[in-house]
Amino acid sequence: MHGLVLRLSTLDAEAASGLRVIGFFETFMEKQMDLSVALRATAQLVEASVGIRTADRTLCQRVSADGRVTADGPQHDSRIHELGSGD
């Protein structure tokens, strides 16, 4: 995949960036990293706070861009994406 990204970056930098992000998350899936590691790396990648909260609020974790982990919920100006429960 690295070779493809290099070749693509000469043709379309935005598409190459997209492939880098895909490769980034594929690595997490392959190595079965835990949620804290994935959130911290994602926050560093996007240079912004990221977090996760389950619908029943049994899990709530946020990581700032500088890697600090907190158990509080989203900030008042956060963009929130709700996902289906998968049931």
Side-chain angles (χ1 to χ4, degrees):
M1 181 140 171
H2 182 69
L4 177 61
V5 171
L6 288 176
R7 288 188 359 228
L8 186 57
S9 66
T10 62
L11 301 173
D12 187 342
E14 191 171 316
S17 293
L19 282 179
R20 282 189 199 98
V21 171
I22 292 167
F24 178 81
F25 287 104
E26 280 184 346
T27 300
F28 283 116
M29 299 301 288
E30 289 170 2
K31 295 185 178 185
Q32 299 179 358
M33 295 183 178
D34 68 16
L35 184 59
S36 296
V37 173
L39 286 174
R40 186 175 289 115
T42 302
Q44 291 171 346
L45 176 71
V46 299
E47 299 177 348
S49 294
V50 298
I52 188 167
R53 181 179 64 190
T54 56
D56 63 3
R57 293 183 171 41
T58 56
L59 171 66
C60 186
Q61 192 173 49
R62 185 165 48 92
V63 179
S64 63
D66 62 6
R68 287 179 292 129
V69 178
T70 62
D72 57 347
Q75 296 174 333
H76 70 284
D77 60 345
S78 296
R79 180 184 294 178
I80 297 173
H81 298 278
E82 292 189 24
L83 303 174
S85 67
D87 295 336

